[in-house]
Amino acid sequence: MTEKRIGVIGIPGKWSTEALADAVAARTGFRLVIDMAQVVLDLGTGKLMFQGQDLCQLDGLIVKKIAEVYSPHALDRLEMLRLAEARGVRIFSRPEAILRLIDRLACTMSLTLAGVPMPDTVVTEDAGKAREAVRTFGTAVFKPLYSTKARGMCLIKDGPGAKANIADFAADNPVMYIQKKLDLSGQDLGMVFLGGEYLCTYARVSGGGTWNTTIHDGGVYVPFSPDPALIALGHKAQAPFGLDFTTVDIALTGDGPIVFEVSAFGGFRGVRDGCGMDAAALLTDHVLARIPA
């Protein structure tokens, strides 16, 4: 057992956060789950405080989840962590890397510029151009720029009701992120990487009756064995971000595989249920190997 003090930033009480904190405690004897909503940044004193603990005095921080719901406020929380990083605290993954993934458009731009195949996508604030996109795609998926697990996403089909549906979406999402709906044959893939190296792949299979495959909407995890070309695609997608632990969302279509997004944090439950592996233990060992004694 090492005496390194490593905090886990996440959602107290959530399974993946607590599992990671347990794995850290089993190896270090130190357990600290950090809720960023209770962290105080004091630039006058140069401290980042959580319940009496200056996070700048820890040996490391693992970011399992920065917020329950993605929003621009999550970006502010990551900015706060930069103080601890500047004081020499190792952070996994680095705030700068996560920042590029919280905003869906930032992730999409990085993937596109890296030459990663993605669904046809239109981004606009113009309702008329959004209507044109729906007409071109036939059926389009409208996605909030800040969301996880398909929350806030909706399908809009070409037809008489499209204009009103677009207006409803735009009321809460003035910048509209619009993708062509693809036939996913009821499943998509989560390809997992640890420290930039391929770990495993699981499939998310639709629970039936929904257009997406998320576990939130009744999907289930099952094992999947990708071929080397598919692994190479996943590796190419995650490489620009430099994350310590991530999942690349991939779909197999009639025109070949495409990437939807790269996760800022990765999913522990999919690794457990779909791959039979302990992601919390693997990530903790990865972190401990990279923090100086």
Side-chain angles (χ1 to χ4, degrees):
M1 181 177 292
T2 176
E3 295 182 355
K4 296 172 184 175
R5 298 192 305 158
I6 301 170
V8 173
I9 295 171
I11 310 300
K14 290 291 186 178
W15 172 77
S16 59
T17 296
E18 300 296 341
L20 183 54
D22 287 344
V24 171
R27 290 157 174 77
T28 67
F30 181 84
R31 193 181 197 280
L32 180 65
V33 173
I34 301 159
D35 180 354
M36 285 300 297
Q38 298 179 29
V39 173
V40 178
L41 170 65
D42 188 335
L43 293 177
T45 62
K47 294 182 178 180
L48 190 65
M49 300 299 297
F50 172 74
Q51 296 182 351
Q53 171 68 59
D54 182 1
L55 303 184
C56 295
Q57 299 302 312
L58 298 180
D59 297 301
L61 291 165
I62 308 176
V63 185
K64 181 62 195 79
K65 200 76 171 176
I66 199 66
E68 182 75 56
V69 178
Y70 285 9
S71 74
H73 301 302
L75 304 180
D76 298 327
R77 291 181 173 185
L78 289 166
E79 289 292 344
M80 292 169 67
L81 291 179
R82 290 177 59 197
L83 178 67
E85 187 175 41
R87 296 287 190 272
V89 180
R90 292 292 304 275
I91 303 181
F92 306 85
S93 296
R94 295 187 60 225
E96 183 179 354
I98 299 173
L99 275 166
R100 300 167 62 200
L101 290 163
I102 297 295
D103 181 337
R104 176 170 278 109
L105 182 53
C107 176
T108 296
M109 288 303 300
S110 295
L111 290 172
T112 299
L113 294 175
V116 174
M118 298 190 71
D120 291 344
T121 304
V122 171
V123 181
T124 183
E125 297 181 49
D126 186 312
K129 296 301 181 183
R131 180 67 186 90
E132 288 181 17
V134 173
R135 188 175 295 112
T136 300
F137 294 158
T139 301
V141 185
F142 281 64
K143 301 181 177 182
L145 293 183
Y146 299 92
S147 74
T148 60
K149 297 179 173 36
R151 294 185 181 95
M153 297 183 187
C154 67
L155 286 181
I156 298 181
K157 297 182 179 180
D158 186 26
K163 182 177 180 180
N165 291 334
I166 291 169
D168 288 344
F169 182 83
D172 295 320
N173 305 276
V175 179
M176 291 174 280
Y177 181 105
I178 309 162
Q179 283 187 330
K180 181 179 181 180
K181 183 181 181 299
L182 302 176
D183 180 7
L184 305 184
S185 301
Q187 75 169 15
D188 66 354
L189 309 177
M191 186 173 289
V192 186
F193 290 83
L194 177 65
E197 298 299 324
Y198 174 72
L199 185 63
C200 68
T201 300
Y202 55 83
R204 285 176 293 248
V205 179
S206 173
T210 62
W211 61 272
N212 66 70
T213 62
T214 65
I215 305 306
H216 179 73
D217 287 319
V220 295
Y221 296 116
V222 298
F224 186 90
S225 298
D227 60 31
L230 197 59
I231 294 174
L233 174 61
H235 193 278
K236 180 178 181 180
Q238 60 84 42
F241 302 101
L243 298 161
D244 287 284
F245 183 80
T246 188
T247 302
V248 181
D249 289 344
I250 300 177
L252 304 179
T253 77
D255 296 322
I258 56 94
V259 172
F260 280 119
E261 64 183 14
V262 176
S263 170
F265 309 105
F268 283 8
R269 200 175 297 275
V271 175
R272 183 193 68 182
D273 296 348
C275 303
M277 303 172 75
D278 186 344
L282 291 168
L283 177 56
T284 299
D285 290 341
H286 167 85
V287 168
L288 287 172
R290 285 156 180 79
I291 295 179

